[in-house]
Amino acid sequence: MALRALKSLLLLVFFLLVPHSISSCHPLDPLTPAEINSIRRTVEHSQLGSNRKLTFHYVGLDDPDKPGLLSWLSNHTKTPPPRRAFVTARLDKQIHNIIVDISDNTIISDRIYGGYGYPIPTSEEEAAANALPFSYMPFLQSAKKRKLDIAKVVCETFLVGWFGERKEKRVAKIRCFYRHGTDNIYMRPLQGVLVTVDLDEIVILGFKDRIRTPMPKAEGTDYRASKQRPPFAPRTNGMTIVQPDGPSFTIDGHMIRWANWAFHLGFDARVGPIISLASIYDVDKDKYRSVLYKGYLSELYVPYMDVSDEWYYRTFFDAGEHGLGQCAVPLEPTRDCPSNAVFIDGYVAGQSGNSIKLSNIFCVFERSAGDIMWRHTETEIPGEKVREVRADVSLVVRMVTVIGNYDNVLDWEFKQSGSIKVMVGLTGVLEVKGVPYTHTNQIRENVHGTLLAENTIGVNHDHFFTYYLDLDIDGPDNSFIKAKMQTVRVMKGRNTSTPRKSYWKVVTETAKTEADARLKPSLEPADLLVVNPNKMTKVGNHIGYRLIGGSQATSILSDDDYPQILGAYTKYELMVTPYNRSEKWAPGEFVHQSHGDDTLAVWTLRNRSIENRDIVLWYTVGFHHIPYQEDFPVMPTLSGGFVLRPSNFFDNNPVLKVLPSKPVHWPNCTAHV
Amino acid sequence: MALRALKSLLLLVFFLLVPHSISSCHPLDPLTPAEINSIRRTVEHSQLGSNRKLTFHYVGLDDPDKPGLLSWLSNHTKTPPPRRAFVTARLDKQIHNIIVDISDNTIISDRIYGGYGYPIPTSEEEAAANALPFSYMPFLQSAKKRKLDIAKVVCETFLVGWFGERKEKRVAKIRCFYRHGTDNIYMRPLQGVLVTVDLDEIVILGFKDRIRTPMPKAEGTDYRASKQRPPFAPRTNGMTIVQPDGPSFTIDGHMIRWANWAFHLGFDARVGPIISLASIYDVDKDKYRSVLYKGYLSELYVPYMDVSDEWYYRTFFDAGEHGLGQCAVPLEPTRDCPSNAVFIDGYVAGQSGNSIKLSNIFCVFERSAGDIMWRHTETEIPGEKVREVRADVSLVVRMVTVIGNYDNVLDWEFKQSGSIKVMVGLTGVLEVKGVPYTHTNQIRENVHGTLLAENTIGVNHDHFFTYYLDLDIDGPDNSFIKAKMQTVRVMKGRNTSTPRKSYWKVVTETAKTEADARLKPSLEPADLLVVNPNKMTKVGNHIGYRLIGGSQATSILSDDDYPQILGAYTKYELMVTPYNRSEKWAPGEFVHQSHGDDTLAVWTLRNRSIENRDIVLWYTVGFHHIPYQEDFPVMPTLSGGFVLRPSNFFDNNPVLKVLPSKPVHWPNCTAHV
């Protein structure tokens, strides 16, 4: 009884304290540990909490209403939008979508989701599922037949996708690996052994031991420095960045300010970093102007190209099935990020709803890569030398999310010129399958990949990073424009005496509806622009930003292939939708075993108007990945991305008046290497 | 007489000394100042020298015979290939292509070129042509009518291209600019005033003053820091790179060695940097393996999209018409290149044949941009934390060439992973035309560009950087392969029970002849590979490198448009030819006023065999450039390029055994900012 009284007292004290901490919050700040724990209590103390099988699958900030937030931003004396949490919990095999008011610890709504699909499994569920094979006799026999030391077997949960089943349990496949002699577990799969489990009941539903191939060797697979033997590759001398006056950015809560940029860095268990309210200071107008209301990696779709029993279901949607944010890993100073980086933690909720700290998952640093921001040497004025150069310095926000084998480096880079460069880096370890072959000349079948080492096939696959980009170019109402370059044949006679026979002119097409803005890769050259049709530069050009793409691979799977029904949006490099608060994730809300009836591609079939509206761009950075031997046993980073570049946003070059930094001299240094 | 005797004596001393300096040369080293001057004397002392109108237009190293060089490289005890110079000189309006043996100062051959086209004009010719308007009354009257201070008028030579004329003089157009109130001369053109000159006779052939438009304002155009007035853009704190143990690269003559790379950095008046003999150390094989026999920017074609009298001929071939190397500008420490850069000079020959020093035109530096070379965090082994990260460090070789208004940043970046990243950066100043308009709402005609400021149109244009890449992947005989991703429909029944309906498989196509390898931009996804079909990795994959493109804009001008006849190769992203010592420059040898009968596109019509041959790739990095107001008055760098990435070149990841650099600590530093 005394304990319960103490608990109640502590709870009271806590509730009295919470409003204070909330009041200093920005409405977009991610949930604090205290808030997460308070939300857990609110839910547990509701009627939902009476049942002990309640599991938390997602706890995050419920997006404040956009007009309300914009109104508050324009006038801070108003009360901020209410701070609410969005919770996905499961109870008696039902999905509850719960909205919690954080300020008064009440449940605003509790809707049971009746559609297809399941939320991200909890790590406890995965751990329990991963343990099942070890008490399952057929599995143990399979390991024994392979002469494996069972203590060195590691199992992992792979979600199964949806392949036309009418009704189904919540299912996963358990795949196991052999870490004997290596910690690069992915290089030693128990090929052919496949355990199917019920994730709700945590029981084995099926078992197969279909094929047996030689276990790929451990030798040469471990990537740790401590495991390497000479000869070593040449080593370069150490180098570091020195900033005697410290960094030029400030982090105030979650608001980051650097040079002419200000933005909010949020964090979400599902999508990881969320850049909001990115705005740039316009020196001439003496004000910050809005560029990006919100941007994040909405989904990362990775379908594999082997359709055998062991592989066909590997068509991962990493954000919706695993959570890019909750799979973020601690970044290592001086290696993952340079020595001048600042690190930031994140918080997610565990299965019980308690907050879990993820340390150092973000780093923020100024990059001085040795590039040139702008320059000109004037060589044509006799007797005069004119040279003016500005070195490029930018600000990088980085998170690395590790979904099993792959490490995805997610960078947002802000440039003083107004550009935002969004880059993804693919590194980590390939998914491989064991085969009997030790040389390509033995292969007579389609192995769906590359022989990377003896008995090891790196399987062909794709990576599609689909970004949500709610650009608000100088205000919410924007239009999407294709500025096409069209060849013009010069007609002889009349007013022209030109000997030229052609040129290209710019023909701009404004997308009126969603169908106009579904962009497949095209041979038609065009600049892609988001403009504010209600605002002009002094000389009358529409205020705009340009999207410069890269790595424009799109899916070439059949439209009727099951994973592709969910991932239909990856047929397009770009889609544009009118802003809709509920349209956040390209493959829909509950991805695991979803039937694909609530996806970006489906939403756009309504063909809504997108002209002079608050619009959202969905841009896919794609890679078709044929593995090569260099990707073994760990893959050198492969990069791709896109740039948002101001294009008639400013009246002139915004970095003209960036004075060069004073040079930094270090004459009195003693090196301590 | 005494003077002549002294001269002879000095000459003798010189000749005695030269062989010593030559003997220490690498056969690919660019010509030294002493060699250039010696070549001048050799030519002048020949029968050519009797005529005083001899002008030198090009003096460079005559490529050593490739088999001879490779043979010498494999066995240094042999005598090196003879060191020869290639000279283009004009005499009595005839072009002489002269081969000089540098070791014994003899002329090996002297061929008169009888075809179309002219060499790069000398700077003396341009200066003389630029001076003509100032003593030409109609021009002076035009300036007076415009109320210009003639002392502030600057004129510049624009080459004219070929537009179907049968026979023609060597001609240029002189365009003039007004530098009153600004040193950004390009922003103030004397629109409508056009002087045509004979470059041989240095006389005016024609004059037009066709249209008069308001002179764009000087205000806001000067880009120099000293000319800027507050408010200034926010300034970032200084930062610098510190390498306590110094750089990790060595420069031995022109051989650069860094980490696992070794390559030769040459320099040429026409194409600028030449990377030769780039080879990478294979730790497992304990030897250097060849990657790139020779690579350089073969041509930079910049056609403008205004066909009026004043603009139609602006279809520049910057390498062949102006010389990328001789237009290289000195690089500014800490701004053009970081503080850890090393600078290198270059030498060209002037009109008289005398050597001219170009200071600090190259910089070489180690880049530590804060990126990740490779990493993995293993999160799936219960109870164990595995994390291994390598920071990326690379080596950059940079040159900036300024062709009038544009500054082109040319980077070659070598990565320890075996990748070579070739980047171009576009910065500098736009070419604009004067118009009467101060706002877009006044414009009723096609202005062929963007209104950047009052009275100022930035004219639409393209940039096509065409790289010569003589890859020798582990030896000279290579093949070009397209590894196409092709969708496969899964057929029901028989051996498959898969619920998947599709996947993609890799179908490799080896290009047999040049026609097979003419690559237009395509919607068909494919990896582009150069492989050595005679060598395999241990497990039997063909040794290869992959070309990963970017900025794949190709020309959309009509095939029959005159400039496009020369630039026909820019219809293709990539072409492949068998190595031919004489095929060096994509638009042919003499570009100015060429009729386009000796171009890359013409050579490939022979449709030669390219399978398992010594092949050359010609890759075009293209930009369609619609100017935006941010490009005014100086343009923030716009970048593009491509990557050569080892793909089954190594048996496994070559940077697995790169141990992390020791961290650099600077605890005892005193900052001097």
Side-chain angles (χ1 to χ4, degrees):
Chain A
M1 279 306 250
L3 193 65
R4 186 177 288 180
L6 182 66
K7 252 176 143 178
S8 300
L9 184 68
L10 282 173
L11 218 60
L12 181 69
V13 170
F14 181 76
F15 285 162
L16 287 171
L17 286 173
V18 164
H20 292 279
S21 63
I22 285 171
S23 66
S24 66
C25 268
H26 189 286
L28 294 177
D29 281 356
L31 300 174
T32 64
E35 286 175 333
I36 292 170
N37 292 331
S38 146
I39 291 157
R40 174 185 62 75
R41 281 186 299 268
T42 303
V43 174
E44 278 180 355
H45 292 183
S46 76
Q47 65 187 67
L48 290 160
S50 58
N51 190 309
R52 63 179 184 82
K53 286 212 66 177
L54 181 72
T55 53
F56 288 82
H57 293 259
Y58 173 82
V59 178
L61 183 73
D62 188 45
D63 278 336
D65 175 60
K66 186 169 173 181
L69 183 70
L70 290 178
S71 155
W72 175 76
L73 284 168
S74 65
N75 182 358
H76 268 303
T77 60
K78 291 187 184 171
T79 51
R83 190 160 168 83
R84 294 172 171 172
F86 186 90
V87 176
T88 299
R90 291 188 89 237
L91 183 66
D92 296 334
K93 299 191 183 173
Q94 284 188 312
I95 297 172
H96 290 256
N97 277 342
I98 306 159
I99 308 282
V100 177
D101 188 312
I102 302 174
S103 57
D104 63 3
N105 302 294
T106 57
I107 289 180
I108 292 176
S109 71
D110 170 14
R111 289 184 305 107
I112 292 175
Y113 173 77
Y116 294 110
Y118 296 106
I120 298 170
T122 68
S123 53
E124 287 85 346
E125 287 168 346
E126 291 196 16
N130 294 344
L132 288 174
F134 296 97
S135 54
Y136 187 69
M137 198 49 70
F139 178 83
L140 297 173
Q141 281 165 353
S142 287
K144 199 173 177 185
K145 270 192 286 183
R146 286 173 171 77
K147 299 190 174 117
L148 305 183
D149 173 2
I150 195 73
K152 293 286 189 184
V153 173
V154 175
C155 294
E156 192 178 337
T157 303
F158 284 65
L159 298 189
V160 295
W162 171 68
F163 288 90
E165 303 87 349
R166 284 274 170 96
K167 209 170 178 188
E168 43 182 354
K169 300 177 174 180
R170 191 160 65 106
V171 175
K173 309 265 190 199
I174 307 298
R175 307 264 322 138
C176 303
F177 303 92
Y178 197 43
R179 57 176 286 239
H180 190 271
T182 184
D183 271 352
N184 192 344
I185 56 173
Y186 297 99
M187 289 304 113
R188 308 197 80 193
L190 271 69
Q191 184 68 15
V193 179
L194 195 58
V195 183
T196 309
V197 303
D198 182 323
L199 274 179
D200 280 320
E201 304 296 342
I202 307 292
V203 294
I204 288 175
L205 296 174
F207 176 78
K208 270 191 189 168
D209 186 354
R210 202 173 65 95
I211 43 173
R212 202 176 325 158
T213 53
M215 173 67 68
K217 289 179 193 158
E219 188 196 337
T221 65
D222 210 314
Y223 44 82
R224 285 174 298 175
S226 60
K227 299 289 180 183
Q228 305 311 313
R229 296 287 161 264
F232 294 110
R235 202 169 178 179
T236 52
N237 294 341
M239 59 197 293
T240 193
I241 291 282
V242 170
Q243 283 189 291
D245 295 333
S248 319
F249 58 88
T250 60
I251 303 181
D252 174 16
H254 293 262
M255 281 300 300
I256 299 181
R257 288 180 186 82
W258 171 80
N260 43 0
W261 280 101
F263 60 91
H264 183 278
L265 172 62
F267 172 72
D268 178 71
R270 176 161 178 166
V271 301
I274 299 179
I275 303 294
S276 298
L277 305 177
S279 59
I280 188 161
Y281 181 71
D282 185 322
V283 172
D284 295 325
K285 294 191 165 63
D286 188 24
K287 65 173 186 182
Y288 278 89
R289 296 169 62 199
S290 145
V291 177
L292 181 69
Y293 178 74
K294 185 178 284 198
Y296 57 85
L297 177 53
S298 164
E299 190 49 88
L300 167 49
Y301 170 38
V302 189
Y304 281 75
M305 298 303 146
D306 185 329
V307 299
S308 68
D309 276 10
E310 289 73 21
W311 280 81
Y312 76 86
Y313 58 87
R314 304 200 197 192
T315 56
F316 308 117
F317 290 87
D318 286 339
E321 291 181 343
H322 296 283
L324 304 177
Q326 63 194 41
C327 292
V329 294
L331 297 171
E332 183 167 335
T334 78
R335 293 185 190 171
D336 274 318
C337 312
S339 57
N340 60 332
V342 169
F343 294 84
I344 301 175
D345 303 328
Y347 296 90
V348 294
Q351 174 174 294
S352 68
N354 273 331
S355 84
I356 295 170
K357 180 177 176 177
L358 305 177
S359 298
N360 292 355
I361 54 163
F362 286 122
C363 70
V364 180
F365 62 92
E366 283 174 280
R367 190 207 297 275
S368 171
D371 288 325
I372 298 168
M373 184 158 73
W374 60 262
R375 82 176 316 288
H376 185 55
T377 301
E378 185 47 64
T379 59
E380 296 289 332
I381 303 178
E384 194 168 339
K385 284 193 180 174
V386 178
R387 178 176 67 192
E388 197 71 40
V389 187
R390 295 292 178 280
D392 196 36
V393 182
S394 60
L395 188 79
V396 178
V397 174
R398 174 171 296 164
M399 190 191 90
V400 175
T401 183
V402 177
I403 317 290
N405 53 312
Y406 261 112
D407 297 45
N408 303 283
V409 184
L410 307 179
D411 281 1
W412 288 81
E413 182 173 3
F414 295 84
K415 290 178 174 277
Q416 296 175 77
S417 61
S419 289
I420 303 177
K421 188 174 180 183
V422 181
M423 291 295 282
V424 300
L426 295 169
T427 174
V429 173
L430 290 176
E431 267 192 59
V432 308
K433 66 175 181 179
V435 287
Y437 314 117
T438 55
H439 195 279
T440 55
N441 61 15
Q442 301 154 354
I443 302 175
R444 298 281 175 276
E445 56 168 342
N446 181 353
V447 290
H448 302 283
T450 306
L451 191 67
L452 300 173
E454 292 188 8
N455 309 120
T456 309
I457 294 285
V459 176
N460 298 327
H461 58 282
D462 295 318
H463 305 258
F464 298 115
F465 296 79
T466 301
Y467 280 87
Y468 175 101
L469 301 166
D470 180 0
L471 291 164
D472 281 7
I473 303 301
D474 221 8
D477 288 341
N478 289 175
S479 293
F480 175 70
I481 284 181
K482 279 184 271 187
K484 294 183 178 179
M485 295 89 180
Q486 281 189 355
T487 307
V488 179
R489 273 303 280 183
V490 177
M491 292 305 166
K492 279 285 169 211
R494 272 190 290 180
N495 301 321
T496 175
S497 62
T498 184
R500 278 280 286 276
K501 297 187 174 176
S502 68
Y503 63 95
W504 54 256
K505 68 172 178 181
V506 178
V507 178
T508 57
E509 272 183 20
T510 303
K512 310 253 181 237
T513 68
E514 291 174 291
D516 296 337
R518 258 180 236 131
L519 244 66
K520 290 204 179 190
S522 162
L523 296 178
E524 221 179 26
D527 278 4
L528 307 180
L529 294 154
V530 174
V531 303
N532 186 325
N534 313 299
K535 292 192 181 171
M536 284 183 180
T537 59
K538 276 184 205 159
V539 298
N541 293 302
H542 283 305
I543 298 284
Y545 255 72
R546 186 181 157 202
L547 191 156
I548 305 174
S551 311
Q552 289 138 324
T554 53
S555 179
I556 56 172
L557 289 177
S558 299
D559 289 340
D560 64 346
D561 207 354
Y562 291 105
Q564 198 56 28
I565 293 172
L566 254 80
Y569 60 89
T570 58
K571 285 271 158 168
Y572 304 96
E573 182 189 349
L574 178 69
M575 301 185 96
V576 181
T577 57
Y579 171 80
N580 180 326
R581 193 169 165 279
S582 71
E583 295 174 1
K584 295 168 70 168
W585 306 288
E589 184 169 4
F590 297 112
V591 175
H592 179 211
Q593 294 175 252
S594 162
H595 293 200
D597 44 16
D598 177 36
T599 70
L600 170 57
V602 171
W603 308 331
T604 65
L605 291 179
R606 294 168 60 194
N607 202 19
R608 294 163 290 187
S609 171
I610 54 169
E611 189 180 4
N612 202 4
R613 293 279 295 273
D614 188 359
I615 56 175
V616 175
L617 272 64
W618 306 76
Y619 186 79
T620 294
V621 179
F623 302 84
H624 298 300
H625 191 171
I626 303 173
Y628 293 102
Q629 285 188 245
E630 285 78 3
D631 298 342
F632 175 90
V634 67
M635 178 181 167
T637 305
L638 183 69
S639 298
F642 61 92
V643 175
L644 298 166
R645 183 174 167 106
S647 299
N648 299 334
F649 183 86
F650 293 102
D651 281 307
N652 53 26
N653 181 336
V655 280
L656 177 67
K657 288 183 166 192
V658 173
L659 298 183
S661 295
K662 286 178 196 149
V664 177
H665 298 294
W666 288 83
N668 295 337
C669 275
T670 325
H672 291 255
V673 183
Chain B
M1 277 308 247
L3 193 66
R4 186 178 287 181
L6 182 65
K7 253 176 141 178
S8 300
L9 184 67
L10 284 172
L11 218 62
L12 181 69
V13 170
F14 181 76
F15 286 161
L16 288 172
L17 287 174
V18 165
H20 292 278
S21 64
I22 287 170
S23 65
S24 66
C25 268
H26 189 286
L28 294 177
D29 281 356
L31 299 175
T32 64
E35 286 175 333
I36 292 171
N37 293 331
S38 144
I39 290 157
R40 174 185 62 76
R41 282 186 299 267
T42 304
V43 174
E44 278 181 354
H45 291 183
S46 76
Q47 65 187 69
L48 289 160
S50 57
N51 190 310
R52 64 181 183 82
K53 286 212 65 178
L54 182 72
T55 53
F56 288 82
H57 293 257
Y58 173 83
V59 177
L61 183 73
D62 187 46
D63 279 336
D65 175 60
K66 185 169 173 181
L69 183 70
L70 292 176
S71 155
W72 175 76
L73 284 168
S74 66
N75 182 358
H76 268 303
T77 60
K78 291 188 186 172
T79 50
R83 190 159 167 83
R84 292 172 174 173
F86 186 89
V87 176
T88 299
R90 291 188 88 237
L91 183 65
D92 297 333
K93 300 190 183 173
Q94 284 188 313
I95 298 171
H96 290 256
N97 277 341
I98 306 159
I99 309 282
V100 177
D101 188 313
I102 302 173
S103 57
D104 63 3
N105 303 293
T106 56
I107 289 181
I108 292 175
S109 72
D110 169 14
R111 288 185 306 109
I112 292 175
Y113 173 76
Y116 295 110
Y118 295 106
I120 298 171
T122 68
S123 53
E124 287 86 344
E125 286 168 345
E126 292 197 13
N130 294 344
L132 286 174
F134 297 96
S135 55
Y136 187 67
M137 198 48 71
F139 178 83
L140 297 174
Q141 280 164 351
S142 287
K144 200 173 177 184
K145 269 192 286 183
R146 285 171 170 78
K147 299 192 175 112
L148 305 183
D149 173 2
I150 196 72
K152 294 286 188 182
V153 172
V154 175
C155 293
E156 193 179 334
T157 303
F158 285 67
L159 298 189
V160 294
W162 171 69
F163 289 90
E165 302 87 350
R166 285 273 170 95
K167 204 167 182 190
E168 41 183 355
K169 299 176 175 180
R170 191 160 66 106
V171 175
K173 307 265 191 200
I174 306 299
R175 307 265 322 139
C176 302
F177 303 92
Y178 197 43
R179 55 176 286 240
H180 190 271
T182 184
D183 270 353
N184 193 342
I185 55 172
Y186 298 100
M187 289 305 114
R188 308 197 81 194
L190 272 67
Q191 184 69 13
V193 179
L194 196 59
V195 182
T196 309
V197 302
D198 181 322
L199 274 179
D200 281 319
E201 303 297 341
I202 307 291
V203 293
I204 288 176
L205 296 174
F207 176 78
K208 270 191 190 170
D209 187 354
R210 203 172 66 95
I211 43 173
R212 202 177 322 159
T213 54
M215 172 67 67
K217 289 179 195 159
E219 189 196 336
T221 64
D222 210 313
Y223 44 81
R224 285 175 296 174
S226 59
K227 299 289 180 181
Q228 306 310 314
R229 295 288 161 263
F232 294 111
R235 202 169 176 178
T236 53
N237 295 340
M239 60 197 294
T240 194
I241 290 282
V242 170
Q243 284 189 291
D245 295 334
S248 318
F249 59 89
T250 60
I251 303 182
D252 174 17
H254 293 262
M255 280 301 299
I256 299 181
R257 290 180 183 82
W258 171 80
N260 44 0
W261 280 103
F263 60 92
H264 183 277
L265 171 62
F267 172 72
D268 178 71
R270 176 161 178 166
V271 302
I274 300 178
I275 304 293
S276 299
L277 306 177
S279 59
I280 188 161
Y281 180 72
D282 186 323
V283 172
D284 296 325
K285 296 192 163 63
D286 188 23
K287 66 172 185 182
Y288 277 89
R289 296 169 62 198
S290 145
V291 176
L292 181 70
Y293 178 74
K294 184 178 286 200
Y296 57 85
L297 177 52
S298 165
E299 189 50 89
L300 167 48
Y301 170 38
V302 188
Y304 281 75
M305 297 303 147
D306 185 330
V307 299
S308 67
D309 276 8
E310 288 74 22
W311 281 81
Y312 76 86
Y313 58 88
R314 303 200 198 192
T315 56
F316 308 117
F317 289 87
D318 286 339
E321 291 181 342
H322 295 285
L324 305 176
Q326 63 194 39
C327 291
V329 295
L331 297 170
E332 185 167 333
T334 79
R335 294 186 190 170
D336 274 318
C337 313
S339 57
N340 60 330
V342 168
F343 295 83
I344 300 175
D345 303 329
Y347 297 89
V348 295
Q351 173 174 296
S352 69
N354 272 332
S355 84
I356 295 171
K357 181 176 176 179
L358 305 177
S359 298
N360 292 356
I361 54 163
F362 287 123
C363 71
V364 180
F365 62 93
E366 283 174 281
R367 190 207 298 274
S368 171
D371 289 324
I372 298 168
M373 184 158 73
W374 60 262
R375 80 177 316 287
H376 185 54
T377 301
E378 185 47 65
T379 59
E380 297 289 332
I381 303 177
E384 194 168 339
K385 283 192 182 175
V386 178
R387 179 177 67 192
E388 198 72 40
V389 187
R390 295 291 179 282
D392 196 36
V393 181
S394 60
L395 187 79
V396 178
V397 175
R398 174 171 296 162
M399 191 191 89
V400 175
T401 182
V402 177
I403 316 290
N405 52 312
Y406 261 113
D407 297 45
N408 304 283
V409 183
L410 307 178
D411 280 2
W412 287 83
E413 182 173 3
F414 295 84
K415 290 177 173 279
Q416 295 175 78
S417 61
S419 288
I420 303 177
K421 188 174 181 184
V422 181
M423 290 296 281
V424 299
L426 294 171
T427 174
V429 173
L430 291 175
E431 267 191 59
V432 307
K433 66 174 180 181
V435 286
Y437 314 116
T438 54
H439 194 279
T440 56
N441 61 14
Q442 302 155 353
I443 303 176
R444 299 280 175 277
E445 57 167 342
N446 181 353
V447 291
H448 301 284
T450 307
L451 190 68
L452 300 173
E454 292 187 8
N455 311 120
T456 309
I457 294 284
V459 176
N460 298 327
H461 58 282
D462 295 319
H463 305 258
F464 298 115
F465 295 78
T466 301
Y467 280 87
Y468 174 102
L469 300 166
D470 180 1
L471 291 162
D472 280 7
I473 302 301
D474 222 7
D477 288 342
N478 290 175
S479 292
F480 175 71
I481 284 180
K482 278 184 273 189
K484 294 182 177 180
M485 295 90 179
Q486 280 188 355
T487 307
V488 179
R489 274 303 282 184
V490 177
M491 291 306 167
K492 281 282 168 212
R494 272 190 290 182
N495 301 321
T496 173
S497 61
T498 184
R500 276 280 286 277
K501 298 188 174 177
S502 68
Y503 63 94
W504 55 255
K505 68 172 179 181
V506 178
V507 178
T508 57
E509 272 182 20
T510 303
K512 309 254 182 234
T513 67
E514 292 174 291
D516 296 337
R518 257 180 236 131
L519 244 66
K520 290 204 180 193
S522 162
L523 296 178
E524 221 179 28
D527 278 4
L528 307 180
L529 295 154
V530 174
V531 304
N532 187 325
N534 314 300
K535 292 192 181 170
M536 284 183 178
T537 60
K538 276 184 203 159
V539 297
N541 293 303
H542 283 304
I543 298 283
Y545 256 72
R546 186 182 157 202
L547 191 156
I548 305 174
S551 311
Q552 289 139 323
T554 54
S555 180
I556 56 172
L557 289 177
S558 299
D559 289 341
D560 64 346
D561 207 353
Y562 291 104
Q564 197 56 29
I565 293 171
L566 254 80
Y569 59 91
T570 58
K571 285 271 158 168
Y572 305 95
E573 182 190 349
L574 177 70
M575 302 185 95
V576 180
T577 57
Y579 171 81
N580 180 326
R581 192 171 166 279
S582 71
E583 295 174 1
K584 296 169 69 169
W585 306 288
E589 184 170 4
F590 296 112
V591 175
H592 178 211
Q593 294 175 251
S594 162
H595 293 199
D597 45 15
D598 178 36
T599 70
L600 169 56
V602 171
W603 308 331
T604 66
L605 291 179
R606 296 168 58 193
N607 203 18
R608 293 163 289 186
S609 170
I610 54 170
E611 189 180 5
N612 202 3
R613 293 280 295 271
D614 188 359
I615 57 176
V616 175
L617 273 64
W618 305 76
Y619 186 78
T620 294
V621 179
F623 302 85
H624 298 300
H625 191 173
I626 303 174
Y628 293 101
Q629 284 187 246
E630 285 78 3
D631 298 343
F632 174 91
V634 67
M635 177 181 168
T637 305
L638 183 70
S639 297
F642 61 92
V643 175
L644 299 165
R645 185 174 166 108
S647 300
N648 300 331
F649 183 87
F650 293 102
D651 281 308
N652 54 24
N653 182 335
V655 279
L656 177 66
K657 290 184 165 190
V658 173
L659 298 183
S661 295
K662 285 178 195 149
V664 177
H665 298 294
W666 288 84
N668 295 337
C669 275
T670 324
H672 292 256
V673 183

